[in-house]
Amino acid sequence: MDELPLQTPARFLPGVGPVRAECLARLGIETVEDLLWHLPRDLVDLSEVRRVGELEPEILQTVRGEVVELDDRRISGGRRMSSVTIDSGDGFLKATWFNQSWVLGRVQHGSAVLFSGKPKRRAGRWEMTHPRLQVIDADDLEAHGGLLPKYALTDGVTMEAMRRITRDVADRFIEHVSDPLPESWLKRFDVVGLSDALAGVHRPDSVEAYHAARRRLIFDDLLEFLLGLALRRRAWRASGRAPRLPVTAKIDSRIRRRFPFELTSGQDRAVEEIAADMARDHAMHRLLQADVGAGKTAVALYAMLVAVAAGHQAVLMAPTELLARQHWQTIEELLRGSRVERVLLTGNLTAAQRRKTLERISSGEDLLVVGTHAVIQQDVEFKSLGLAVIDEQHKFGVMQRSQFARDDASQTPHVLVMTATPIPRSLCLTQFGDLDVTTIDDLPPGRQPVVTSVVRDKTTRDKAWQFVREQVLAGRQAFVVCPRIDAGEETGEGMGVEQTCQRLRENELSGVAVGLVHGRLDVDDKTRAMQEFRDGATRVLVATTVVEVGVDVPNATVMVVYQAERFGLSQLHQLRGRIGRGSYQGYCFLLAGRQDESAATRLDVLDEHTDGFSVAEADFLLRGPGDVLGVRQHGELPLRVADLIVDRDLLEETRTIAFDLVQSGEIDGESAERLRDRVLERFGELMELPRTG
Ligand code: ADP
Ligand code: MG
């Protein structure tokens, strides 16, 4: 079918013209096609709308009527009171606004309007104060049979105008829309055709038809995205061979002897799955997720030693310098007396050290490398990289996966990605949908959940500090976490990390050795502060979230978080995962800074749930995907209609369909050509998909 008419500029449409076209352009709308894809955000169902005679007091309702009286007057205190009375055929309702005379400009005698608000009955008459006012166009109403789509608007385009334009476009151009899905798939996947879907959202015949239409659009949105991931996964598998890194019984027991503990059954299972991947000659792309403290490092080290035992290199990349050092230290301890060659590569080596290290990496065979993500991706050339472990991936953003420079381009390393905290399932499917997933679902034995309390008042706060002192006297250590380095305008308590530290030294924690670490210190100072805390020279460490991920000091049993409501729940869970790692019970005090009730209620989730999987789900439902992934996440998910929370079921379904289509090769068939093109058009560049299937 001829799709060219869809490219007609919006300004040529009746009722648009150059001025409105400019307004539309602010919404990203240039063409007829853009208008068709300017989907309503919601639907007003006028069958739900009441008449005055049906109203109930004090409940939010929408009433429809015709304007019969307008009034605007000055009242006491220089205020203005404006009112609009409507008649719904069986009674009158008077709506009143204060100092909002502009509402009168939107209506006139005879206008059909909707008021949404909580009505009151006063002196035998119904009234509403400051209701939401919507003007409806009588023709509009007729054309839509009582179902009114609601659109995102911009100045210069009213809802009525937008409805008229989109309806007009749907009437005249819908036949030019071609469906990326082959006809026979519509039945198979139980979706309506694309032109029916687009027509169905702009001019729905029924609420059911509207939802079926939306479902198709969401289906496409998700299917195309997940097909992109499935194709990327296939491309990885096909591209270059990875070295086979088999584990013999001898290697296995030699590695296990390195750990001062038995692996948990969850760790065992993870190790098994990873070893099976690494024994194959196509590259592993696996995500390892587990609760905080489940022991991912041991699993990562196991995998790295497998690579080294097979005569290859392995690299462990951490998101920060601090964490890279921390991993290095752990690995050094575990490998003490071992002949395994290893190097630490971070940003603050001298030029000479750096040159030497890089040379070792580019010439050495079996070598274990630890470093920061940034440093390693910049300019390191590996001689024979067999395995790359990427720690705390979700700080790096979704779409970039690692690239490794190798002298032998035909070989690619196995890749293991580790997340800091568990990821809710729907996020996992989208963010990491191209990876195989291993979940460690248990914790090392003897681990007690951290006792968490939300502290709201001064008395409890004093008690908390008293408790911290007692723990320190008993030989334990404590973290104090502040949300920011600098004091904020509000200068609520404990805003700046340095100020807080100073205050604690002088007051609550006088006589206690208190250390300080934050992101703006230079690397040496940071390292020193961490080392002093690890060694026990300082008993309390005041810090920003540099301690958030991975820092492991088993003797630390208490954590106090200032202004806890400023953090995400998963982040707080990650933070409290820093304590109670040894054999002592851990305690976490979340100081609620402001009397923001919803924020404080959110914190109660941490009191109620001790495992990170439930915390992650709760966080996701409360705050949505963007926040859960953290501010450092680079791109939002490139979805345009689907909502990961609302459309979770459809996500599961489309994920299965997408992966089946790729696995069966159907996606390469002639009938899927248009769908393939759409996937490439939307995600080809972003996901670095190969041009040909
Ligand atoms: P995370 O998964 O949060 O990265 P870590 O790898 O830092 O967890 O491990 C947390 C702590 O648990 C470390 O102190 C580690 O030595 C310890 N640990 C890991 N595995 C076990 C095990 N199987 N038995 C006992 N302790 C373990
Ligand atoms: Mg870790």
Side-chain angles (χ1 to χ4, degrees):
M1 198 164 292
D2 185 11
E3 293 191 33
L4 252 184
L6 298 181
Q7 299 315 315
T8 308
R11 69 176 177 281
F12 295 151
L13 294 169
V16 179
V19 176
R20 229 175 223 159
E22 253 173 56
C23 301
L24 289 173
R26 282 201 298 269
L27 291 167
I29 297 171
E30 307 273 353
T31 63
V32 161
E33 184 170 26
D34 296 337
L35 273 167
L36 281 175
W37 282 99
H38 186 60
L39 305 174
R41 291 185 303 191
D42 202 356
L43 188 66
V44 188
D45 178 2
L46 292 190
S47 63
E48 299 260 302
V49 169
R50 305 198 168 184
R51 290 154 166 273
V52 172
E54 299 163 330
L55 285 178
E56 295 168 59
E58 303 296 345
I59 313 174
L60 183 64
Q61 291 152 93
T62 301
V63 198
R64 179 181 162 196
E66 197 169 289
V67 175
V68 291
E69 196 179 303
L70 299 165
D71 189 32
D72 188 34
R73 64 180 70 179
R74 194 176 292 281
I75 53 169
S76 64
R79 297 199 301 163
R80 291 197 85 80
M81 185 176 87
S82 316
S83 66
V84 175
T85 303
I86 56 168
D87 177 0
S88 70
D90 60 349
F92 297 95
L93 169 81
K94 181 177 178 180
T96 307
W97 293 264
F98 295 96
N99 286 341
Q100 296 196 12
S101 305
W102 55 268
V103 296
L104 294 183
R106 294 193 51 200
V107 294
Q108 54 199 31
H109 273 272
S111 301
V113 298
L114 300 177
F115 286 153
S116 305
K118 295 180 179 173
K120 272 197 179 76
R121 197 155 167 86
R122 198 171 289 150
R125 279 185 69 169
W126 286 103
E127 294 183 4
M128 274 186 190
T129 310
H130 283 224
R132 244 168 57 83
L133 164 70
Q134 293 183 81
V135 181
I136 46 185
D137 179 324
D139 295 344
D140 208 26
L141 207 52
E142 199 153 306
H144 285 93
L147 295 173
L148 297 177
K150 283 170 68 176
Y151 296 92
L153 300 174
T154 178
D155 283 348
V157 188
T158 61
M159 189 65 83
E160 298 82 67
M162 186 64 93
R163 282 186 188 133
R164 201 163 17 72
I165 296 166
T166 49
R167 187 180 64 224
D168 182 48
V169 160
D171 282 343
R172 292 173 44 211
F173 291 91
I174 209 73
E175 58 176 302
H176 299 286
V177 170
S178 57
D179 198 321
L181 297 186
E183 176 90 40
S184 63
W185 289 12
L186 300 184
K187 211 174 188 141
R188 178 172 159 197
F189 300 138
D190 188 26
V191 290
V192 302
L194 182 60
S195 42
D196 289 343
L198 286 172
V201 291
H202 293 301
R203 37 171 322 156
D205 293 331
S206 66
V207 177
E208 293 73 40
Y210 172 80
H211 286 295
R214 261 191 70 81
R215 184 171 180 279
R216 164 63 203 266
L217 301 174
I218 298 165
F219 179 89
D220 280 19
D221 196 14
L222 291 169
L223 183 69
E224 285 158 16
F225 177 68
L226 292 162
L227 274 172
L229 291 179
L231 289 170
R232 170 153 81 171
R233 181 182 139 106
R234 181 171 76 178
W236 273 341
R237 298 194 151 221
S239 77
R241 317 225 115 201
R244 282 184 194 276
L245 308 170
V247 188
T248 61
K250 202 168 130 204
I251 292 174
D252 176 73
S253 70
R254 233 171 52 209
I255 297 176
R256 283 173 194 266
R257 269 207 302 279
R258 284 277 146 211
F259 302 121
F261 42 69
E262 295 272 307
L263 295 186
T264 64
S265 61
Q267 285 171 317
D268 260 332
R269 220 171 323 112
V271 157
E272 243 169 67
E273 287 177 9
I274 290 165
D277 283 355
M278 290 172 64
R280 298 197 190 101
D281 66 354
H282 58 248
M284 164 171 77
H285 289 281
R286 188 169 284 279
L287 175 76
L288 177 61
Q289 73 164 338
D291 205 346
V292 180
K296 293 182 291 284
T297 317
V299 172
L301 182 60
Y302 183 104
M304 288 196 285
L305 291 174
V306 167
V308 170
H312 284 269
Q313 296 171 313
V315 62
L316 171 58
M317 305 194 299
T320 66
E321 189 95 18
L322 204 70
L323 278 171
R325 283 171 188 283
Q326 162 108 16
H327 279 312
W328 175 250
Q329 227 151 2
T330 308
I331 288 171
E332 279 294 279
E333 275 162 35
L334 292 173
L335 295 186
R336 189 167 296 140
S338 138
R339 282 179 325 225
V340 173
E341 298 274 327
R342 49 207 188 257
V343 292
L344 171 66
L345 182 65
T346 59
N348 71 325
L349 298 178
T350 66
Q353 285 171 323
R354 183 180 176 79
R355 201 172 344 100
K356 228 178 105 202
T357 308
L358 289 179
E359 204 182 284
R360 257 180 96 187
I361 297 175
S362 63
S363 63
E365 289 290 331
D366 45 351
L367 180 69
L368 205 153
V369 183
V370 177
T372 54
H373 198 270
V375 169
I376 285 166
Q377 292 216 317
Q378 264 159 30
D379 52 2
V380 179
E381 200 167 299
F382 291 92
K383 166 88 172 164
S384 61
L385 186 58
L387 170 72
V389 180
I390 308 173
D391 195 17
E392 324 293 5
Q393 165 86 19
H394 73 269
K395 296 288 172 207
F396 300 129
V398 201
M399 288 303 155
Q400 9 135 216
R401 298 278 191 251
S402 300
Q403 301 288 316
F404 300 96
R406 298 177 48 106
D407 53 359
D408 177 5
S410 68
Q411 289 253 315
T412 104
H414 297 280
V415 176
L416 180 65
V417 171
M418 303 197 289
T419 65
T421 51
I423 313 264
R425 169 137 179 99
S426 38
L427 267 189
C428 197
L429 285 182
T430 43
Q431 302 282 306
F432 303 106
D434 45 7
L435 306 183
D436 297 312
V437 179
T438 292
T439 303
I440 303 180
D441 52 11
D442 54 9
L443 293 173
R447 203 60 72 70
Q448 296 147 301
V450 172
V451 175
T452 303
S453 1
V454 182
V455 178
R456 293 180 164 88
D457 58 84
K458 182 161 186 321
T459 321
T460 330
R461 189 176 325 193
D462 292 343
K463 279 192 201 147
W465 288 117
Q466 185 54 36
F467 184 82
V468 174
R469 293 188 72 101
E470 283 162 17
Q471 287 280 305
V472 168
L473 276 176
R476 306 285 81 75
Q477 288 169 279
F479 288 107
V480 175
V481 181
C482 299
R484 52 212 280 181
I485 297 181
D486 299 310
E489 249 103 83
E490 311 96 301
T491 316
E493 192 176 0
M495 290 295 281
V497 67
E498 291 189 352
Q499 266 169 285
T500 304
C501 184
Q502 198 57 36
R503 263 192 53 152
L504 291 174
R505 279 174 178 153
E506 286 163 11
N507 301 292
E508 289 89 341
L509 300 177
S510 61
V512 177
V514 179
L516 173 69
V517 65
H518 58 74
R520 220 176 283 156
L521 294 179
D522 68 37
V523 179
D524 289 338
D525 289 342
K526 258 191 266 185
T527 313
R528 191 174 326 111
M530 285 311 301
Q531 196 55 50
E532 284 172 359
F533 189 61
R534 274 189 153 220
D535 296 343
T538 47
R539 311 304 299 176
V540 174
L541 186 65
V542 180
T544 50
T545 49
V546 289
V547 299
E548 179 187 339
V549 281
V551 172
D552 195 14
V553 180
N555 191 46
T557 55
V558 194
M559 174 172 285
V560 180
V561 184
Y562 273 99
Q563 294 191 307
E565 74 282 349
R566 289 186 172 235
F567 297 95
L569 295 183
S570 289
Q571 203 183 1
L572 288 169
H573 179 71
Q574 171 72 25
L575 278 170
R576 74 175 166 182
R578 302 304 103 216
I579 51 176
R581 302 204 127 206
S583 44
Y584 305 105
Q585 173 67 52
Y587 300 91
C588 178
F589 297 100
L590 303 174
L591 307 189
R594 267 170 294 151
Q595 286 320 80
D596 176 343
E597 219 169 284
S598 76
T601 312
R602 203 161 56 82
L603 295 177
D604 289 333
V605 169
L606 289 164
D607 183 352
E608 285 152 24
H609 296 279
T610 51
D611 80 292
F613 290 90
S614 342
V615 170
E617 277 303 330
D619 200 15
F620 181 58
L621 292 178
L622 286 167
R623 296 198 313 155
D627 283 324
V628 173
L629 290 168
V631 284
R632 276 169 280 181
Q633 204 230 340
H634 291 291
E636 289 293 301
L637 280 179
L639 295 172
R640 51 183 177 197
V641 205
D643 176 315
L644 289 189
I645 294 177
V646 181
D647 304 315
R648 276 187 291 181
D649 293 345
L650 202 51
L651 172 65
E652 294 278 351
E653 203 178 305
T654 44
R655 147 98 183 177
T656 310
I657 293 171
F659 279 67
D660 286 351
L661 288 176
V662 169
Q663 178 134 42
S664 66
E666 268 182 286
I667 192 64
D668 306 309
E670 209 174 308
S671 60
E673 189 181 347
R674 223 193 312 257
L675 178 58
R676 220 160 51 226
D677 285 348
R678 277 186 64 90
V679 174
L680 287 177
E681 192 186 306
R682 277 181 77 188
F683 304 113
E685 208 171 307
L686 186 69
M687 299 186 184
E688 298 175 347
L689 300 177
R691 271 282 132 192
T692 49

